[in-house]
Amino acid sequence: MKQPLSYKKRGILLVLLLLLVLGISLLALWLLPETKKNTGSPVVTITQAGNLLYEIPLETITVPYKLTIEGENGLSNVIYITNESVSVESATCPDKLCVKSGTLRAGSLLPIVCLPNKLVIELHTQSFSQDTMDSYTY
Amino acid sequence: MKTKLVIQLAFFTALALCLSGLEAMLPTLVPIYGVKLGLANVVTLLMLRHYKARHILLVLLARILLSSLLFGQLISFSYSLAGGCLCLLIVLLINRFLQGHYLFLTSIFGALAHNVGQILVAILLTSSLAISVYLPILLLSGFLTGLFTGLCSHFIDPYLNRLVPGQASE
C-alpha cells in the first residue's frame, strides 16, 4: 500500500521544483547574451500590436532623427534613433517605463516595451547579405 | 451571505486596496513591467486559511477592479486580472497540496504564476514573442517578491486568528 505523502515530503518536492525553475531561469539569463553576440549590422524593428511598422538598419542613418508612434486612446511614443542606438525619448503613458528602459545598442538583450501602446522595439543583429540590402534600399 | 461575512470581505478588500495604493507610491526600482512587490497578494494569502475560494475570488476581483480604476490605467486591468486569477488558482492548488503548511512556498508559486499570467497577456496583446525574453527575469523577481509577501503573511497570520475567529471551521 502506498502511503499518502506527508506535508514535509510535499514541501521538499515543491522546493525541488522551485530550484529547477530558478535554475532554468538563471541558465537562460546566462545563455541569452551568447545568442546576441553574432556580429552584423544592427536592425531596428518597431512593432505595434503585432504589425511591423518600421524596419530600419542603423547603418543607413546619417542624421539622428525622431519617430512618433501614435496609438489608440491618444497615446504616443517619441522614438529617437541614431546610427548606433535607439531609445524612447518621451511617452504619454503614466508609468513611462519605456523611457526608463534606457537605450538599445548592438548586443542589448531586452527589447523596449510599451505595454499601454502595445509597442515593441527590438534591435536585431543581422548578418549582411545582398537580398536584405535590396529590400532596405527599395 | 451573512452580514458578518460581507463586512469581513469588505475589510479585506479595503486592506488590499491600501496595500496597492502604498505600492503605487513606491518609486519603480527596475524599469521592467511586472517587477513589483505585490503587497496586495498578502491579503489573498491571509484569507487562504480562513475563507472559501469563492470569497477570496470576490475580494480579488473587487481589488483588481478598484485598484486599476484608482491607481493605474485601464490597460493594467487585463494584466492584473490574468495574473491575479492564475495566481489565485495556483495558490489554492498548492495550499491544498501542502495541507495548509509552508505558506511562503505557496506564496512563491503564486508570485511565479502571477508573472507568467501577466506575460501571457502581454504576448497576446502585443502579439510579439520578443517579450518572452523577460520571463526568466520575472521568474527570479517573482521568487524574491513571493518569498517576501509569503513571510509577511506567515508572521501576520497568528494575529489574524484572533481577529477573525470562527471562519476556519467553515
Side-chain angles (χ1 to χ4, degrees), chain B residues 15-72:
Chain B
L15 189 63
L17 271 178
C18 288
L19 289 173
S20 295
L22 186 71
E23 203 177 322
M25 281 182 221
L26 296 174
T28 44
L29 292 174
V30 190
I32 295 176
Y33 288 97
V35 179
K36 281 175 74 184
L37 263 180
L39 279 177
N41 218 17
V42 171
V43 173
T44 308
L45 291 165
L46 284 179
M47 293 181 72
L48 210 54
R49 292 183 189 170
H50 306 273
Y51 295 91
K52 288 178 186 167
R54 57 193 157 98
H55 297 147
I56 306 176
L57 183 69
L58 269 179
V59 170
L60 180 80
L61 291 179
R63 184 253 289 179
I64 291 172
L65 181 67
L66 289 171
S67 72
S68 55
L69 283 176
L70 283 172
F71 313 113

Side-chain angles (χ1 to χ4, degrees), chain A residues 7 10 49-50 94 100 111 116 122, chain B residues 28 33 73 97 101 126-127 130 134:
Chain A
Y7 71 87
R10 288 169 182 224
K100 289 178 193 162
E122 289 173 86
Chain B
T28 44
Y33 288 97
Q73 315 129 258
F97 182 69
H101 297 278
T126 61
S127 38
Y134 282 110

Side-chain angles (χ1 to χ4, degrees), chain B residues 60-122:
Chain B
L60 180 80
L61 291 179
R63 184 253 289 179
I64 291 172
L65 181 67
L66 289 171
S67 72
S68 55
L69 283 176
L70 283 172
F71 313 113
Q73 315 129 258
L74 220 56
I75 187 96
S76 64
F77 178 70
S78 49
Y79 299 104
S80 307
L81 196 64
C85 289
L86 197 62
C87 171
L88 182 61
L89 184 72
I90 293 292
V91 157
L92 287 170
L93 286 177
I94 298 273
N95 190 54
R96 179 159 293 182
F97 182 69
L98 287 173
Q99 293 149 357
H101 297 278
Y102 304 130
L103 197 58
F104 61 95
L105 262 180
T106 313
S107 164
I108 292 171
F109 277 96
L112 295 185
H114 199 281
N115 283 341
V116 169
Q118 278 181 319
I119 219 156
L120 284 179
V121 173

Side-chain angles (χ1 to χ4, degrees), chain A residues 96-115:
Chain A
K96 304 222 181 331
L97 277 178
C98 48
V99 182
K100 289 178 193 162
S101 302
T103 311
L104 279 186
R105 285 169 203 287
S108 289
L109 192 60
L110 298 171
I112 296 180
V113 184
C114 172
L115 285 184

Side-chain angles (χ1 to χ4, degrees), chain A residues 74-92:
Chain A
L75 290 167
S76 69
N77 302 69
V78 180
I79 300 167
Y80 184 68
I81 306 180
T82 72
N83 67 351
E84 56 181 19
S85 67
V86 196
S87 58
V88 179
E89 196 180 67
S90 62
T92 50

